[in-house]
Amino acid sequence: MAKKVTFINASKSTFYATVRKRVDAYFIENNISVNANASMWFKAVFFLTGLTSCYLLILLGNFNAYITLTLTVLLGMFGAFVGFNICHDAIHKSFSSNAHVNKVLSFVFNLIGASPYVWNICHNIVHHTYTNIAGHDEDIDVAPGLIRFSESETVNKLQRYQHFYAFVLYSFAMLSWVFRKDFKKFFQKKIGEHVLVHPRIEYFKLFIYKGIYYFLFIVLPLVVMNITWWQFLVGFLTMQFAQGLVLGLVFQLAHVVEGTSFPSPDQKGNIEEAWAEHQMRTTANFSVNSKITAFFCGGLNRQIEHHLFPKICHIHYPQIGKIVKETALEFNLPYIESTTFSAALVSHYKTLRRLGKEAYKENKYVNKSSCMLTRKVSAVYS
């Protein structure tokens, strides 16, 4: 059984205090709010308009099959972009200083298929605290038995090919999220080592909001559109696969690339470094100089800044990124980044190959004595 993890600042590093002081000074000296500015609100309107337009055009446009299928791909992609650019910040309460605005924008997460309440626990509380720690960070527990992300896990024969099929499995991420993941996580006793105790109202919200999503994306299209059940199924799956692939790729490029570590606590559950230093070793950026990537990925291409300052709206990450990088180098800490999206993809591919094929080739019984000899293979993106 995994023990509670404690970060011990054994070296008495002042990195986080220093970088936080410098970032705070940047906002004060320039008289800038840490929340959304005009550019951020433009992005919010753009992506919400795109999502709504694609949905209505599919539902009421009466286009031919090719145009409709193209629109379903765009709908799935815009669903991911809305999650990246609006809901992610809102759930972190960084979009606005107004709690009501954050709550309203967080609700949109339900309309793209995911529970903001469950996400807050899995992501904000667990993932941000225990990044890349097996048994605690369930973001790296992707398709157990099929994909191996951590060196502390047993490697099996099938995983020799994970650098090929993993990208296909990522496409199922949203489909699993819509029908399985939120329910599974909600009714677990623990997520990682975080014990779950839900307010009664959240049981009602989980089912009613899922019901609204199913009505909007399953019932209403079948009622309104002049299509057969199999045409609907093709369109629905296309939307889900497009959204899932975008989500899967962007999420994994932040933590599972060359240079990132997957540390294990000692027998007492201690990590012998400060939390902020842990984040620098387990998190990576990509394509930080691309305005297009920044616009569509909602700051998720700057995960280092996001993990250190989740309460700051992502629109400010390019500016504070310079401060974070300079401070990291000053403290002799890694600042892991890939110059382009494609470079990050190649790095992720190489990491999958190292943890799969190369690990099995080196020692197919790696970690077998310390792990379960058999693991039940769960559905993709448990």
Short mmCIF file of all heavy atoms in Angstrom, two decimals, residues 311-348:
data_model
loop_
_atom_site.label_atom_id
_atom_site.label_comp_id
_atom_site.label_asym_id
_atom_site.label_seq_id
_atom_site.Cartn_x
_atom_site.Cartn_y
_atom_site.Cartn_z
N LYS A 311 -2.62 29.43 -9.97
CA LYS A 311 -3.62 30.46 -9.69
C LYS A 311 -3.44 31.69 -10.59
O LYS A 311 -4.17 32.67 -10.46
CB LYS A 311 -3.53 30.90 -8.22
CG LYS A 311 -3.85 29.81 -7.21
CD LYS A 311 -5.28 29.30 -7.35
CE LYS A 311 -5.61 28.26 -6.29
NZ LYS A 311 -6.99 27.72 -6.43
N ILE A 312 -2.46 31.63 -11.48
CA ILE A 312 -2.25 32.71 -12.45
C ILE A 312 -2.82 32.28 -13.79
O ILE A 312 -2.54 31.17 -14.27
CB ILE A 312 -0.75 33.05 -12.59
CG1 ILE A 312 -0.22 33.61 -11.27
CG2 ILE A 312 -0.53 34.05 -13.72
CD1 ILE A 312 1.27 33.92 -11.28
N CYS A 313 -3.61 33.13 -14.41
CA CYS A 313 -4.21 32.82 -15.71
C CYS A 313 -3.13 32.55 -16.75
O CYS A 313 -2.09 33.24 -16.80
CB CYS A 313 -5.08 33.99 -16.15
SG CYS A 313 -5.91 33.74 -17.73
N HIS A 314 -3.36 31.56 -17.60
CA HIS A 314 -2.31 31.12 -18.54
C HIS A 314 -1.92 32.18 -19.56
O HIS A 314 -0.87 32.07 -20.20
CB HIS A 314 -2.77 29.84 -19.26
CG HIS A 314 -3.74 30.06 -20.37
ND1 HIS A 314 -5.09 29.86 -20.24
CD2 HIS A 314 -3.56 30.46 -21.66
CE1 HIS A 314 -5.70 30.12 -21.38
NE2 HIS A 314 -4.79 30.50 -22.26
N ILE A 315 -2.73 33.20 -19.74
CA ILE A 315 -2.41 34.25 -20.71
C ILE A 315 -1.11 34.97 -20.34
O ILE A 315 -0.45 35.58 -21.19
CB ILE A 315 -3.58 35.26 -20.82
CG1 ILE A 315 -3.53 36.01 -22.16
CG2 ILE A 315 -3.60 36.21 -19.64
CD1 ILE A 315 -3.93 35.17 -23.34
N HIS A 316 -0.71 34.89 -19.07
CA HIS A 316 0.49 35.57 -18.59
C HIS A 316 1.74 34.68 -18.59
O HIS A 316 2.82 35.16 -18.25
CB HIS A 316 0.26 36.08 -17.16
CG HIS A 316 -0.91 36.98 -17.02
ND1 HIS A 316 -0.99 38.23 -17.60
CD2 HIS A 316 -2.10 36.82 -16.35
CE1 HIS A 316 -2.14 38.80 -17.31
NE2 HIS A 316 -2.84 37.97 -16.56
N TYR A 317 1.58 33.41 -18.95
CA TYR A 317 2.72 32.49 -18.85
C TYR A 317 3.93 32.88 -19.69
O TYR A 317 5.07 32.70 -19.25
CB TYR A 317 2.28 31.06 -19.21
CG TYR A 317 1.37 30.41 -18.19
CD1 TYR A 317 0.72 29.20 -18.47
CD2 TYR A 317 1.14 30.98 -16.94
CE1 TYR A 317 -0.13 28.61 -17.55
CE2 TYR A 317 0.30 30.40 -16.02
CZ TYR A 317 -0.33 29.21 -16.33
OH TYR A 317 -1.16 28.62 -15.41
N PRO A 318 3.76 33.40 -20.91
CA PRO A 318 4.96 33.78 -21.69
C PRO A 318 5.84 34.80 -20.96
O PRO A 318 7.07 34.73 -21.04
CB PRO A 318 4.37 34.38 -22.97
CG PRO A 318 3.06 33.68 -23.13
CD PRO A 318 2.54 33.54 -21.72
N GLN A 319 5.20 35.73 -20.25
CA GLN A 319 5.98 36.75 -19.54
C GLN A 319 6.64 36.18 -18.29
O GLN A 319 7.84 36.39 -18.06
CB GLN A 319 5.07 37.92 -19.16
CG GLN A 319 4.67 38.82 -20.31
CD GLN A 319 3.71 38.14 -21.27
OE1 GLN A 319 2.79 37.44 -20.84
NE2 GLN A 319 3.92 38.33 -22.56
N ILE A 320 5.89 35.44 -17.48
CA ILE A 320 6.50 34.92 -16.25
C ILE A 320 7.43 33.75 -16.55
O ILE A 320 8.29 33.42 -15.73
CB ILE A 320 5.44 34.52 -15.20
CG1 ILE A 320 4.67 33.27 -15.64
CG2 ILE A 320 4.50 35.67 -14.92
CD1 ILE A 320 3.76 32.72 -14.56
N GLY A 321 7.30 33.15 -17.76
CA GLY A 321 8.17 32.05 -18.13
C GLY A 321 9.63 32.46 -18.17
O GLY A 321 10.53 31.67 -17.82
N LYS A 322 9.89 33.69 -18.58
CA LYS A 322 11.26 34.19 -18.63
C LYS A 322 11.84 34.25 -17.23
O LYS A 322 13.01 33.91 -17.00
CB LYS A 322 11.28 35.57 -19.28
CG LYS A 322 10.75 35.60 -20.71
CD LYS A 322 10.62 37.03 -21.21
CE LYS A 322 9.96 37.05 -22.59
NZ LYS A 322 9.76 38.45 -23.08
N ILE A 323 11.01 34.66 -16.28
CA ILE A 323 11.46 34.75 -14.89
C ILE A 323 11.72 33.36 -14.32
O ILE A 323 12.74 33.12 -13.66
CB ILE A 323 10.39 35.48 -14.04
CG1 ILE A 323 10.15 36.89 -14.56
CG2 ILE A 323 10.80 35.49 -12.56
CD1 ILE A 323 8.97 37.59 -13.91
N VAL A 324 10.81 32.43 -14.59
CA VAL A 324 10.95 31.06 -14.07
C VAL A 324 12.21 30.40 -14.64
O VAL A 324 12.98 29.78 -13.89
CB VAL A 324 9.71 30.22 -14.42
CG1 VAL A 324 9.93 28.76 -14.04
CG2 VAL A 324 8.47 30.76 -13.72
N LYS A 325 12.44 30.55 -15.93
CA LYS A 325 13.60 29.91 -16.55
C LYS A 325 14.91 30.47 -16.00
O LYS A 325 15.83 29.72 -15.67
CB LYS A 325 13.54 30.09 -18.07
CG LYS A 325 14.64 29.34 -18.81
CD LYS A 325 14.45 29.41 -20.32
CE LYS A 325 15.51 28.59 -21.04
NZ LYS A 325 15.30 28.61 -22.51
N GLU A 326 15.00 31.78 -15.89
CA GLU A 326 16.22 32.41 -15.37
C GLU A 326 16.47 31.97 -13.93
O GLU A 326 17.62 31.69 -13.55
CB GLU A 326 16.09 33.93 -15.44
CG GLU A 326 16.14 34.48 -16.86
CD GLU A 326 15.88 35.98 -16.90
OE1 GLU A 326 15.66 36.58 -15.82
OE2 GLU A 326 15.89 36.55 -18.02
N THR A 327 15.42 31.90 -13.13
CA THR A 327 15.58 31.51 -11.73
C THR A 327 15.97 30.04 -11.61
O THR A 327 16.80 29.67 -10.77
CB THR A 327 14.28 31.77 -10.95
OG1 THR A 327 13.85 33.12 -11.16
CG2 THR A 327 14.50 31.55 -9.46
N ALA A 328 15.39 29.19 -12.45
CA ALA A 328 15.73 27.76 -12.44
C ALA A 328 17.21 27.56 -12.76
O ALA A 328 17.91 26.78 -12.08
CB ALA A 328 14.86 27.01 -13.44
N LEU A 329 17.68 28.24 -13.78
CA LEU A 329 19.08 28.12 -14.16
C LEU A 329 19.99 28.65 -13.04
O LEU A 329 21.06 28.11 -12.79
CB LEU A 329 19.34 28.88 -15.46
CG LEU A 329 18.62 28.33 -16.70
CD1 LEU A 329 18.87 29.21 -17.92
CD2 LEU A 329 19.04 26.89 -16.98
N GLU A 330 19.54 29.70 -12.38
CA GLU A 330 20.30 30.28 -11.27
C GLU A 330 20.46 29.28 -10.14
O GLU A 330 21.50 29.21 -9.48
CB GLU A 330 19.58 31.53 -10.79
CG GLU A 330 20.26 32.26 -9.64
CD GLU A 330 19.45 33.47 -9.18
OE1 GLU A 330 18.86 34.16 -10.05
OE2 GLU A 330 19.42 33.73 -7.96
N PHE A 331 19.41 28.46 -9.91
CA PHE A 331 19.43 27.47 -8.84
C PHE A 331 19.88 26.10 -9.34
O PHE A 331 19.74 25.10 -8.63
CB PHE A 331 18.05 27.37 -8.19
CG PHE A 331 17.76 28.45 -7.19
CD1 PHE A 331 17.39 29.72 -7.60
CD2 PHE A 331 17.90 28.21 -5.83
CE1 PHE A 331 17.12 30.72 -6.68
CE2 PHE A 331 17.64 29.20 -4.89
CZ PHE A 331 17.26 30.46 -5.32
N ASN A 332 20.41 26.05 -10.54
CA ASN A 332 20.91 24.81 -11.14
C ASN A 332 19.84 23.72 -11.20
O ASN A 332 20.10 22.54 -10.93
CB ASN A 332 22.13 24.30 -10.36
CG ASN A 332 22.94 23.28 -11.14
OD1 ASN A 332 23.00 23.34 -12.38
ND2 ASN A 332 23.56 22.35 -10.44
N LEU A 333 18.62 24.13 -11.54
CA LEU A 333 17.51 23.20 -11.70
C LEU A 333 17.18 23.04 -13.19
O LEU A 333 17.39 23.97 -13.98
CB LEU A 333 16.27 23.73 -10.97
CG LEU A 333 16.32 23.70 -9.44
CD1 LEU A 333 15.14 24.46 -8.86
CD2 LEU A 333 16.33 22.26 -8.94
N PRO A 334 16.67 21.87 -13.59
CA PRO A 334 16.34 21.67 -15.01
C PRO A 334 15.15 22.52 -15.43
O PRO A 334 14.25 22.79 -14.62
CB PRO A 334 16.01 20.18 -15.08
CG PRO A 334 15.57 19.83 -13.69
CD PRO A 334 16.40 20.68 -12.77
N TYR A 335 15.17 22.96 -16.66
CA TYR A 335 14.02 23.62 -17.28
C TYR A 335 13.81 22.89 -18.59
O TYR A 335 14.41 23.20 -19.60
CB TYR A 335 14.31 25.10 -17.50
CG TYR A 335 13.11 25.91 -17.96
CD1 TYR A 335 12.24 26.49 -17.03
CD2 TYR A 335 12.83 26.08 -19.32
CE1 TYR A 335 11.14 27.23 -17.43
CE2 TYR A 335 11.74 26.81 -19.73
CZ TYR A 335 10.90 27.39 -18.80
OH TYR A 335 9.80 28.11 -19.21
N ILE A 336 12.98 21.84 -18.53
CA ILE A 336 12.84 20.91 -19.64
C ILE A 336 11.88 21.47 -20.68
O ILE A 336 10.74 21.81 -20.36
CB ILE A 336 12.32 19.54 -19.13
CG1 ILE A 336 13.22 19.02 -18.01
CG2 ILE A 336 12.25 18.53 -20.28
CD1 ILE A 336 12.61 17.89 -17.20
N GLU A 337 12.33 21.57 -21.92
CA GLU A 337 11.46 22.10 -22.97
C GLU A 337 11.86 21.55 -24.33
O GLU A 337 13.02 21.27 -24.59
CB GLU A 337 11.50 23.63 -22.99
CG GLU A 337 12.86 24.23 -23.19
CD GLU A 337 12.83 25.75 -23.16
OE1 GLU A 337 11.76 26.34 -23.38
OE2 GLU A 337 13.90 26.35 -22.93
N SER A 338 10.87 21.39 -25.19
CA SER A 338 11.08 21.04 -26.60
C SER A 338 10.74 22.28 -27.41
O SER A 338 9.75 22.97 -27.13
CB SER A 338 10.17 19.87 -27.00
OG SER A 338 10.47 18.71 -26.26
N THR A 339 11.55 22.54 -28.43
CA THR A 339 11.37 23.79 -29.18
C THR A 339 10.09 23.82 -30.00
O THR A 339 9.51 24.88 -30.21
CB THR A 339 12.57 24.02 -30.11
OG1 THR A 339 12.74 22.86 -30.95
CG2 THR A 339 13.84 24.26 -29.30
N THR A 340 9.62 22.64 -30.45
CA THR A 340 8.42 22.58 -31.28
C THR A 340 7.50 21.47 -30.80
O THR A 340 7.91 20.59 -30.03
CB THR A 340 8.77 22.33 -32.75
OG1 THR A 340 9.40 21.03 -32.87
CG2 THR A 340 9.70 23.40 -33.29
N PHE A 341 6.26 21.50 -31.28
CA PHE A 341 5.30 20.45 -30.96
C PHE A 341 5.78 19.11 -31.50
O PHE A 341 5.70 18.09 -30.82
CB PHE A 341 3.94 20.80 -31.57
CG PHE A 341 2.86 19.79 -31.28
CD1 PHE A 341 2.21 19.77 -30.06
CD2 PHE A 341 2.48 18.85 -32.24
CE1 PHE A 341 1.22 18.84 -29.79
CE2 PHE A 341 1.50 17.92 -31.98
CZ PHE A 341 0.86 17.91 -30.75
N SER A 342 6.31 19.12 -32.74
CA SER A 342 6.79 17.88 -33.35
C SER A 342 7.99 17.32 -32.59
O SER A 342 8.12 16.10 -32.43
CB SER A 342 7.15 18.11 -34.82
OG SER A 342 8.15 19.12 -34.95
N ALA A 343 8.86 18.20 -32.09
CA ALA A 343 10.00 17.73 -31.30
C ALA A 343 9.54 17.08 -30.00
O ALA A 343 10.09 16.07 -29.56
CB ALA A 343 10.93 18.90 -30.99
N ALA A 344 8.48 17.64 -29.41
CA ALA A 344 7.92 17.04 -28.19
C ALA A 344 7.30 15.69 -28.49
O ALA A 344 7.41 14.75 -27.68
CB ALA A 344 6.89 17.98 -27.58
N LEU A 345 6.63 15.57 -29.64
CA LEU A 345 6.05 14.28 -30.04
C LEU A 345 7.13 13.22 -30.21
O LEU A 345 6.97 12.07 -29.76
CB LEU A 345 5.28 14.43 -31.35
CG LEU A 345 3.84 14.92 -31.28
CD1 LEU A 345 3.26 15.05 -32.69
CD2 LEU A 345 2.98 13.98 -30.45
N VAL A 346 8.23 13.59 -30.85
CA VAL A 346 9.35 12.65 -31.04
C VAL A 346 9.92 12.25 -29.69
O VAL A 346 10.23 11.07 -29.46
CB VAL A 346 10.44 13.28 -31.93
CG1 VAL A 346 11.69 12.41 -31.94
CG2 VAL A 346 9.93 13.48 -33.35
N SER A 347 10.04 13.21 -28.79
CA SER A 347 10.56 12.92 -27.45
C SER A 347 9.63 11.98 -26.69
O SER A 347 10.09 11.06 -25.99
CB SER A 347 10.72 14.24 -26.68
OG SER A 347 11.27 14.01 -25.41
N HIS A 348 8.33 12.18 -26.84
CA HIS A 348 7.36 11.30 -26.19
C HIS A 348 7.45 9.89 -26.78
O HIS A 348 7.42 8.89 -26.03
CB HIS A 348 5.95 11.85 -26.38
CG HIS A 348 4.87 11.02 -25.76
ND1 HIS A 348 4.85 10.70 -24.42
CD2 HIS A 348 3.77 10.42 -26.31
CE1 HIS A 348 3.80 9.95 -24.16
NE2 HIS A 348 3.13 9.76 -25.28
#
